[in-house]
PDB file of all heavy atoms in Angstrom:
ATOM      1  N   VAL A 138      25.953 -41.164  -7.893  1.00 98.00           N
ATOM      2  CA  VAL A 138      25.715 -41.817  -9.207  1.00 98.00           C
ATOM      3  C   VAL A 138      24.410 -41.311  -9.805  1.00 98.00           C
ATOM      4  O   VAL A 138      24.259 -40.820 -10.952  1.00 98.00           O
ATOM      5  CB  VAL A 138      25.754 -43.351  -9.124  1.00 98.00           C
ATOM      6  CG1 VAL A 138      25.519 -43.909 -10.539  1.00 98.00           C
ATOM      7  CG2 VAL A 138      27.137 -43.808  -8.599  1.00 98.00           C
ATOM      8  N   LEU A 139      23.331 -41.403  -8.998  1.00 98.00           N
ATOM      9  CA  LEU A 139      22.025 -40.950  -9.463  1.00 98.00           C
ATOM     10  C   LEU A 139      21.842 -39.407  -9.326  1.00 98.00           C
ATOM     11  O   LEU A 139      21.018 -38.855  -9.982  1.00 98.00           O
ATOM     12  CB  LEU A 139      20.876 -41.643  -8.722  1.00 98.00           C
ATOM     13  CG  LEU A 139      20.820 -43.089  -8.905  1.00 98.00           C
ATOM     14  CD1 LEU A 139      19.571 -43.747  -8.234  1.00 98.00           C
ATOM     15  CD2 LEU A 139      20.811 -43.587 -10.386  1.00 98.00           C
ATOM     16  N   GLY A 140      22.659 -38.789  -8.496  1.00 98.00           N
ATOM     17  CA  GLY A 140      22.606 -37.391  -8.339  1.00 98.00           C
ATOM     18  C   GLY A 140      21.254 -36.903  -7.668  1.00 98.00           C
ATOM     19  O   GLY A 140      20.844 -35.768  -7.984  1.00 98.00           O
ATOM     20  N   VAL A 141      20.759 -37.663  -6.768  1.00 98.00           N
ATOM     21  CA  VAL A 141      19.527 -37.227  -6.114  1.00 98.00           C
ATOM     22  C   VAL A 141      19.733 -37.145  -4.559  1.00 98.00           C
ATOM     23  O   VAL A 141      20.514 -37.909  -4.025  1.00 98.00           O
ATOM     24  CB  VAL A 141      18.285 -38.202  -6.267  1.00 98.00           C
ATOM     25  CG1 VAL A 141      17.789 -38.065  -7.666  1.00 98.00           C
ATOM     26  CG2 VAL A 141      18.670 -39.567  -5.964  1.00 98.00           C
ATOM     27  N   THR A 142      19.125 -36.198  -3.947  1.00 97.00           N
ATOM     28  CA  THR A 142      19.036 -36.171  -2.467  1.00 97.00           C
ATOM     29  C   THR A 142      17.586 -36.250  -1.987  1.00 97.00           C
ATOM     30  O   THR A 142      17.384 -36.832  -0.941  1.00 97.00           O
ATOM     31  CB  THR A 142      19.730 -34.879  -1.824  1.00 97.00           C
ATOM     32  OG1 THR A 142      19.237 -33.799  -2.532  1.00 97.00           O
ATOM     33  CG2 THR A 142      21.184 -34.940  -1.961  1.00 97.00           C
ATOM     34  N   ASP A 143      16.698 -35.735  -2.849  1.00 98.00           N
ATOM     35  CA  ASP A 143      15.263 -35.871  -2.521  1.00 98.00           C
ATOM     36  C   ASP A 143      14.766 -37.060  -3.294  1.00 98.00           C
ATOM     37  O   ASP A 143      14.603 -36.961  -4.504  1.00 98.00           O
ATOM     38  CB  ASP A 143      14.492 -34.655  -2.816  1.00 98.00           C
ATOM     39  CG  ASP A 143      13.065 -34.762  -2.381  1.00 98.00           C
ATOM     40  OD1 ASP A 143      12.618 -35.811  -2.002  1.00 98.00           O
ATOM     41  OD2 ASP A 143      12.424 -33.695  -2.346  1.00 98.00           O
ATOM     42  N   VAL A 144      14.559 -38.169  -2.577  1.00 98.00           N
ATOM     43  CA  VAL A 144      14.104 -39.432  -3.355  1.00 98.00           C
ATOM     44  C   VAL A 144      12.619 -39.567  -3.288  1.00 98.00           C
ATOM     45  O   VAL A 144      12.088 -40.630  -3.616  1.00 98.00           O
ATOM     46  CB  VAL A 144      14.772 -40.655  -2.745  1.00 98.00           C
ATOM     47  CG1 VAL A 144      16.336 -40.597  -2.912  1.00 98.00           C
ATOM     48  CG2 VAL A 144      14.387 -40.862  -1.264  1.00 98.00           C
ATOM     49  N   GLY A 145      11.893 -38.522  -2.892  1.00 97.00           N
ATOM     50  CA  GLY A 145      10.428 -38.538  -2.850  1.00 97.00           C
ATOM     51  C   GLY A 145       9.853 -39.365  -1.729  1.00 97.00           C
ATOM     52  O   GLY A 145       8.726 -39.852  -1.918  1.00 97.00           O
ATOM     53  N   ALA A 146      10.638 -39.489  -0.656  1.00 98.00           N
ATOM     54  CA  ALA A 146      10.114 -40.290   0.459  1.00 98.00           C
ATOM     55  C   ALA A 146       9.218 -39.540   1.419  1.00 98.00           C
ATOM     56  O   ALA A 146       9.271 -38.303   1.434  1.00 98.00           O
ATOM     57  CB  ALA A 146      11.306 -40.888   1.181  1.00 98.00           C
ATOM     58  N   TYR A 147       8.398 -40.247   2.142  1.00 97.00           N
ATOM     59  CA  TYR A 147       7.505 -39.620   3.101  1.00 97.00           C
ATOM     60  C   TYR A 147       7.568 -40.409   4.452  1.00 97.00           C
ATOM     61  O   TYR A 147       7.338 -41.649   4.375  1.00 97.00           O
ATOM     62  CB  TYR A 147       6.119 -39.568   2.590  1.00 97.00           C
ATOM     63  CG  TYR A 147       5.050 -39.191   3.613  1.00 97.00           C
ATOM     64  CD1 TYR A 147       4.959 -37.836   4.028  1.00 97.00           C
ATOM     65  CD2 TYR A 147       4.194 -40.130   4.129  1.00 97.00           C
ATOM     66  CE1 TYR A 147       4.062 -37.436   4.962  1.00 97.00           C
ATOM     67  CE2 TYR A 147       3.200 -39.721   5.100  1.00 97.00           C
ATOM     68  CZ  TYR A 147       3.134 -38.388   5.535  1.00 97.00           C
ATOM     69  OH  TYR A 147       2.264 -38.007   6.414  1.00 97.00           O
ATOM     70  N   PHE A 148       7.967 -39.863   5.498  1.00 96.00           N
ATOM     71  CA  PHE A 148       8.119 -40.577   6.728  1.00 96.00           C
ATOM     72  C   PHE A 148       7.878 -39.590   7.945  1.00 96.00           C
ATOM     73  O   PHE A 148       8.827 -38.944   8.384  1.00 96.00           O
ATOM     74  CB  PHE A 148       9.486 -41.224   6.838  1.00 96.00           C
ATOM     75  CG  PHE A 148       9.631 -42.203   8.015  1.00 96.00           C
ATOM     76  CD1 PHE A 148       9.036 -43.441   7.979  1.00 96.00           C
ATOM     77  CD2 PHE A 148      10.389 -41.842   9.068  1.00 96.00           C
ATOM     78  CE1 PHE A 148       9.221 -44.324   8.901  1.00 96.00           C
ATOM     79  CE2 PHE A 148      10.587 -42.749  10.111  1.00 96.00           C
ATOM     80  CZ  PHE A 148      10.003 -43.984  10.092  1.00 96.00           C
ATOM     81  N   PRO A 149       6.628 -39.513   8.398  1.00 96.00           N
ATOM     82  CA  PRO A 149       6.317 -38.448   9.421  1.00 96.00           C
ATOM     83  C   PRO A 149       6.718 -38.887  10.806  1.00 96.00           C
ATOM     84  O   PRO A 149       5.887 -39.069  11.731  1.00 96.00           O
ATOM     85  CB  PRO A 149       4.747 -38.352   9.215  1.00 96.00           C
ATOM     86  CG  PRO A 149       4.307 -39.752   8.898  1.00 96.00           C
ATOM     87  CD  PRO A 149       5.519 -40.294   8.071  1.00 96.00           C
ATOM     88  N   HIS A 150       8.032 -38.932  11.021  1.00 96.00           N
ATOM     89  CA  HIS A 150       8.507 -39.251  12.356  1.00 96.00           C
ATOM     90  C   HIS A 150       9.764 -38.501  12.730  1.00 96.00           C
ATOM     91  O   HIS A 150      10.466 -38.032  11.805  1.00 96.00           O
ATOM     92  CB  HIS A 150       8.735 -40.808  12.440  1.00 96.00           C
ATOM     93  CG  HIS A 150       7.557 -41.635  12.199  1.00 96.00           C
ATOM     94  ND1 HIS A 150       6.551 -41.872  13.200  1.00 96.00           N
ATOM     95  CD2 HIS A 150       7.060 -42.330  11.067  1.00 96.00           C
ATOM     96  CE1 HIS A 150       5.648 -42.616  12.771  1.00 96.00           C
ATOM     97  NE2 HIS A 150       5.896 -42.874  11.462  1.00 96.00           N
ATOM     98  N   THR A 151      10.046 -38.477  13.993  1.00 97.00           N
ATOM     99  CA  THR A 151      11.332 -37.895  14.424  1.00 97.00           C
ATOM    100  C   THR A 151      12.450 -38.952  14.368  1.00 97.00           C
ATOM    101  O   THR A 151      12.220 -40.115  14.917  1.00 97.00           O
ATOM    102  CB  THR A 151      11.242 -37.416  15.959  1.00 97.00           C
ATOM    103  OG1 THR A 151       9.898 -37.077  16.151  1.00 97.00           O
ATOM    104  CG2 THR A 151      12.152 -36.285  16.145  1.00 97.00           C
ATOM    105  N   VAL A 152      13.523 -38.668  13.735  1.00 98.00           N
ATOM    106  CA  VAL A 152      14.546 -39.625  13.478  1.00 98.00           C
ATOM    107  C   VAL A 152      15.932 -39.054  13.948  1.00 98.00           C
ATOM    108  O   VAL A 152      16.235 -37.903  13.701  1.00 98.00           O
ATOM    109  CB  VAL A 152      14.655 -39.984  11.951  1.00 98.00           C
ATOM    110  CG1 VAL A 152      15.781 -40.885  11.627  1.00 98.00           C
ATOM    111  CG2 VAL A 152      13.311 -40.560  11.497  1.00 98.00           C
ATOM    112  N   THR A 153      16.759 -39.926  14.480  1.00 98.00           N
ATOM    113  CA  THR A 153      18.130 -39.561  14.752  1.00 98.00           C
ATOM    114  C   THR A 153      19.035 -40.559  14.065  1.00 98.00           C
ATOM    115  O   THR A 153      18.644 -41.755  13.873  1.00 98.00           O
ATOM    116  CB  THR A 153      18.457 -39.439  16.217  1.00 98.00           C
ATOM    117  OG1 THR A 153      19.753 -38.847  16.405  1.00 98.00           O
ATOM    118  CG2 THR A 153      18.424 -40.830  16.918  1.00 98.00           C
ATOM    119  N   TYR A 154      20.116 -40.068  13.548  1.00 98.00           N
ATOM    120  CA  TYR A 154      20.986 -40.963  12.614  1.00 98.00           C
ATOM    121  C   TYR A 154      22.345 -41.284  13.267  1.00 98.00           C
ATOM    122  O   TYR A 154      23.073 -40.419  13.734  1.00 98.00           O
ATOM    123  CB  TYR A 154      21.162 -40.220  11.279  1.00 98.00           C
ATOM    124  CG  TYR A 154      21.999 -41.072  10.353  1.00 98.00           C
ATOM    125  CD1 TYR A 154      21.502 -42.152   9.709  1.00 98.00           C
ATOM    126  CD2 TYR A 154      23.341 -40.739  10.019  1.00 98.00           C
ATOM    127  CE1 TYR A 154      22.261 -42.879   8.837  1.00 98.00           C
ATOM    128  CE2 TYR A 154      24.163 -41.475   9.172  1.00 98.00           C
ATOM    129  CZ  TYR A 154      23.571 -42.510   8.597  1.00 98.00           C
ATOM    130  OH  TYR A 154      24.348 -43.355   7.785  1.00 98.00           O
ATOM    131  N   HIS A 155      22.618 -42.625  13.299  1.00 98.00           N
ATOM    132  CA  HIS A 155      23.903 -43.035  13.777  1.00 98.00           C
ATOM    133  C   HIS A 155      24.782 -43.451  12.570  1.00 98.00           C
ATOM    134  O   HIS A 155      24.533 -44.430  11.889  1.00 98.00           O
ATOM    135  CB  HIS A 155      23.726 -44.254  14.715  1.00 98.00           C
ATOM    136  CG  HIS A 155      25.020 -44.917  15.014  1.00 98.00           C
ATOM    137  ND1 HIS A 155      26.114 -44.339  15.546  1.00 98.00           N
ATOM    138  CD2 HIS A 155      25.442 -46.245  14.763  1.00 98.00           C
ATOM    139  CE1 HIS A 155      27.103 -45.149  15.715  1.00 98.00           C
ATOM    140  NE2 HIS A 155      26.755 -46.310  15.208  1.00 98.00           N
ATOM    141  N   PRO A 156      25.859 -42.633  12.265  1.00 96.00           N
ATOM    142  CA  PRO A 156      26.686 -43.011  11.116  1.00 96.00           C
ATOM    143  C   PRO A 156      27.653 -44.048  11.553  1.00 96.00           C
ATOM    144  O   PRO A 156      28.556 -43.749  12.310  1.00 96.00           O
ATOM    145  CB  PRO A 156      27.367 -41.705  10.813  1.00 96.00           C
ATOM    146  CG  PRO A 156      27.386 -40.936  12.099  1.00 96.00           C
ATOM    147  CD  PRO A 156      26.308 -41.490  13.006  1.00 96.00           C
ATOM    148  N   SER A 157      27.531 -45.220  11.177  1.00 95.00           N
ATOM    149  CA  SER A 157      28.470 -46.275  11.577  1.00 95.00           C
ATOM    150  C   SER A 157      29.870 -46.023  11.173  1.00 95.00           C
ATOM    151  O   SER A 157      30.137 -45.300  10.205  1.00 95.00           O
ATOM    152  CB  SER A 157      28.017 -47.634  11.057  1.00 95.00           C
ATOM    153  OG  SER A 157      26.736 -47.969  11.604  1.00 95.00           O
ATOM    154  N   CYS A 158      30.842 -46.585  11.929  1.00 96.00           N
ATOM    155  CA  CYS A 158      32.215 -46.253  11.809  1.00 96.00           C
ATOM    156  C   CYS A 158      32.747 -46.460  10.361  1.00 96.00           C
ATOM    157  O   CYS A 158      33.548 -45.654   9.775  1.00 96.00           O
ATOM    158  CB  CYS A 158      33.098 -47.061  12.713  1.00 96.00           C
ATOM    159  SG  CYS A 158      32.618 -46.731  14.436  1.00 96.00           S
TER     160      CYS A 158
END
Side-chain angles (χ1 to χ4, degrees):
Chain A
V138 180
L139 298 184
V141 290
T142 45
D143 185 347
V144 296
Y147 171 72
F148 190 73
H150 297 281
T151 332
V152 174
T153 192
Y154 180 73
H155 168 57
S157 294
C158 301

